[in-house]
Amino acid sequence: MTGFPILSLVLWLPALGGVLLLLLPRDNVGLHRTVALAFALLAFGLSLVLPLQFDPNATGAQFFEQAPWIPAWGISYSIGLDGISLWLVVLTTFLTPIALLSTWGSITSQVRYFQVLMLLLETAMMGVFVALDTFLFYLFWEFTLIPMAFMIGIWGSGNRLYAARKFFLYTFAGSVLMLLGIIGLSFLHRDAVGAEIPTFNLLTIVDDIRNGAFVLDTAMERILFGLFFAAFAIKVPLWPFHTWLPDAHVQAPTAGSVILAGVLLKLGTYGLIRFNLTLFPDASAWAAPAIGILAVIGIIYGAWIAFAQTDMKKLVAYSSVSHMGFVVLGIFALNEVGISGAVLQMINHGLSTGALFLAVGYLYERRHTREMAQFGGLWKNMPVYGSLTLVMVLSSVGLPGLNGFIGEYAIMQGAFTSPVLGWGFVAWAVIGVILAATYLLRMFRETFMGELDRPENEQLSDLTPTEVGMMVALLIPIVAIGIVPSVFFAPMQSSVAEVVQTLSAIVAGSQ
């Protein structure tokens, strides 16, 4: 594939499919769904070339492509992949066709426009993971807000307009702060190296930071760190910036919840590694204990509030606050084990929580309620559904042999051995693990166990072959990561080591 722009093809193929949908006959809903799914599947198939061709021993960006875009401003079309972004791109292309397929029976109005927004959102999310120009990164980052806000506001349920507005305003506010940071960073770099025009090329800025050509004073580095951190913390979302998430999840259509939990939240944690840790290593070491405290609070708070929920979708939504707190804790362990565990846990959370949202959506479509008190004994007449949901629950709990255990173990090992965190953070985080098992198993018990004593539940049909196929598709990587995690860890090791190299020296010097 040398010389072939495979990454651009994977990136822009969904957007091309979205444009094509707008040219098709307006009333042919079946054709719209088929074309959208075909483009999403094609993008996934092509994305599998990336891990197959990826060199796990190489450092820096692979599949690199660059072309001048606005040279007068130092802006270029620069994209590439490293071990940190590789699996996130594959996760995006994997979840999108599943999300699209889940809409075939639930989205019945303005179907074409929903499919267009999904495909455009897929391109925007992948763009965030592959952009190596900070201005290009910002454009992709900002564009992800528009399709998701429309999906919540038009196809959502309940107080959907409030949820869409809150989602947009929260994340947009953080984006404005990041834009200030991006502009400030580029102009400070220009002045430091004596260039005529600023550059937004991330690789150039990072190289100059590492070789000493671009050195920020302590105060300015911490200010820039804070501007980027605000945007990423809101997106994660990290406590106390999380209040937009439950509303968005609960009111969004099932496909929107799958993509929101599966991919969109990962934009924030990816940004923390790509920008905060890489560009501002001194500030990262300085802020790590405080951010670790916020992460632990989020872990316990999200789990505690999830336990109090009676609505299954809201329970899963609050569980995301808790689980993403683990990811942030691993990132700010500032060591290879913790960051590697955090990257893998991003993938794990996308798979497990995406599957749980699908499971809740299947039940809601049949009964039009998500209240656990309205169910009970469903395993008797929905054994396939109950069995698959149990595996997904155990995956999210962190059962050994499934994906969640590997990521959480690596994160806690990294935090325990971290000189900036330590055993105290792990001791508190373990409470979140215990609470996760409590609220998730309670949800399963109240929904599937006991007597089938409600007449309206006796007529519920088990999963269709298509629904089973979607759940099994998610089950395969969940089991694979749990059994052979080294296959997924291997590509990211060189990239993570490169990030940690500078951080380790700074942390050691501060001891």
Side-chain angles (χ1 to χ4, degrees):
M1 302 300 294
T2 303
F4 185 80
I6 181 66
L7 191 56
S8 282
L9 182 60
V10 173
L11 172 62
W12 294 108
L13 190 62
L16 179 62
V19 173
L20 178 61
L21 281 176
L22 294 175
L23 303 177
L24 295 177
R26 184 173 184 174
D27 298 328
N28 197 334
V29 173
L31 181 61
H32 300 158
R33 289 172 171 157
T34 302
V35 169
L37 182 61
F39 271 88
L41 287 171
L42 183 57
F44 171 60
L46 288 173
S47 72
L48 295 179
V49 174
L50 302 175
L52 293 175
Q53 296 287 327
F54 191 84
D55 182 358
N57 299 314
T59 57
Q62 301 183 41
F63 308 101
F64 182 70
E65 301 173 34
Q66 184 169 357
W69 185 20
I70 313 176
W73 295 357
I75 299 172
S76 63
Y77 173 78
S78 299
I79 62 173
L81 277 181
D82 66 359
I84 296 169
S85 55
L86 172 66
W87 294 121
L88 292 169
V89 170
V90 176
L91 175 69
T92 305
T93 62
F94 175 66
L95 287 180
T96 301
I98 292 176
L100 283 170
L101 199 56
S102 73
T103 68
W104 282 36
S106 57
I107 301 297
T108 56
S109 65
Q110 304 185 70
V111 173
R112 174 170 64 166
Y113 297 115
F114 185 90
Q115 312 289 331
V116 169
L117 289 173
M118 282 288 292
L119 292 174
L120 293 178
L121 179 59
E122 181 180 9
T123 288
M125 293 186 298
M126 284 194 289
V128 170
F129 296 135
V130 304
L132 296 177
D133 179 281
T134 55
F135 188 81
L136 182 65
F137 172 88
Y138 177 78
L139 291 182
F140 281 125
W141 173 277
E142 201 73 341
F143 191 78
T144 60
L145 305 184
I146 300 171
M148 182 56 69
F150 275 114
M151 282 192 281
I152 297 171
I154 298 175
W155 293 276
S157 60
N159 198 0
R160 61 183 187 273
L161 293 179
Y162 170 77
R165 185 165 56 246
K166 191 174 182 180
F167 162 75
F168 185 87
L169 291 177
Y170 262 69
T171 48
F172 181 74
S175 300
V176 171
L177 296 176
M178 181 172 65
L179 179 60
L180 293 175
I182 287 172
I183 295 172
L185 181 69
S186 296
F187 278 88
L188 288 169
H189 175 266
R190 180 201 65 179
D191 295 341
V193 301
E196 294 183 4
I197 60 173
T199 182
F200 291 85
N201 188 289
L202 182 61
L203 299 181
T204 300
I205 296 173
V206 170
D207 286 343
D208 286 340
I209 289 174
R210 288 175 176 167
N211 64 31
F214 178 32
V215 179
L216 291 165
D217 64 72
T218 300
M220 183 54 67
E221 181 176 350
R222 290 178 181 179
I223 290 171
L224 291 173
F225 176 94
L227 292 173
F228 280 90
F229 177 78
F232 301 142
I234 291 171
K235 183 74 80 174
V236 169
L238 182 65
W239 184 92
F241 309 103
H242 66 283
T243 56
W244 64 267
L245 180 65
D247 290 314
H249 265 317
V250 171
Q251 311 307 338
T254 298
S257 294
V258 171
I259 294 300
L260 181 59
V263 184
L264 270 181
L265 304 188
K266 288 28 174 216
L267 305 187
T269 45
Y270 169 78
L272 290 173
I273 300 173
R274 179 66 70 218
F275 289 87
N276 287 83
L277 265 58
T278 305
L279 295 174
F280 316 115
D282 286 282
S284 296
W286 166 75
I291 296 173
I293 291 172
L294 295 180
V296 169
I297 291 174
I299 291 169
I300 298 175
Y301 170 85
W304 185 264
I305 300 300
F307 181 77
Q309 302 307 311
T310 59
D311 182 309
M312 287 185 284
K313 197 172 188 184
K314 191 173 285 188
L315 183 149
V316 178
Y318 275 107
S319 78
S320 288
V321 177
S322 182
H323 288 141
M324 293 304 291
F326 275 103
V327 176
V328 175
L329 187 68
I331 291 171
F332 283 91
L334 305 184
N335 54 31
E336 289 188 42
V337 177
I339 296 175
S340 297
V343 174
L344 187 66
Q345 194 65 3
M346 294 184 216
I347 310 302
N348 295 338
H349 178 264
L351 296 169
S352 303
T353 306
L356 288 176
F357 276 119
L358 271 182
V360 173
Y362 293 155
L363 201 53
Y364 181 76
E365 289 171 15
R366 288 163 167 78
R367 278 279 277 111
H368 302 290
T369 180
R370 297 185 294 259
E371 290 293 323
M372 290 184 282
Q374 296 296 316
F375 300 101
L378 291 186
W379 209 339
K380 294 182 178 179
N381 64 330
M382 303 178 74
V384 175
Y385 175 58
S387 300
L388 289 171
T389 302
L390 177 60
V391 176
M392 303 310 178
V393 165
L394 294 175
S395 165
S396 193
V397 166
L399 181 73
L402 299 176
N403 60 341
F405 172 77
I406 301 299
E408 286 185 358
Y409 177 83
I411 287 169
M412 286 194 278
Q413 181 183 347
F416 187 84
T417 58
S418 169
V420 294
L421 297 180
W423 68 268
F425 288 85
V426 176
W428 285 102
V430 166
I431 297 174
V433 177
I434 298 170
L435 288 174
T438 303
Y439 64 73
L440 284 168
L441 292 175
R442 167 179 163 265
M443 179 186 75
F444 186 84
R445 183 198 68 197
E446 293 191 10
T447 306
F448 292 94
M449 310 300 288
E451 295 299 322
L452 186 64
D453 53 6
R454 288 182 176 269
E456 56 268 35
N457 294 332
E458 294 176 0
Q459 306 303 319
L460 294 180
S461 60
D462 211 339
L463 299 185
T464 67
T466 300
E467 291 169 336
V468 172
M470 286 187 278
M471 295 291 275
V472 170
L474 288 163
L475 181 62
I476 291 171
I478 284 174
V479 174
I481 294 173
I483 295 176
V484 284
S486 59
V487 172
F488 299 88
F489 274 126
M492 68 180 75
Q493 294 309 302
S494 295
S495 299
V496 171
E498 192 175 19
V499 172
V500 170
Q501 184 176 6
T502 305
L503 290 167
S504 299
I506 292 169
V507 171
S510 64
Q511 299 302 303

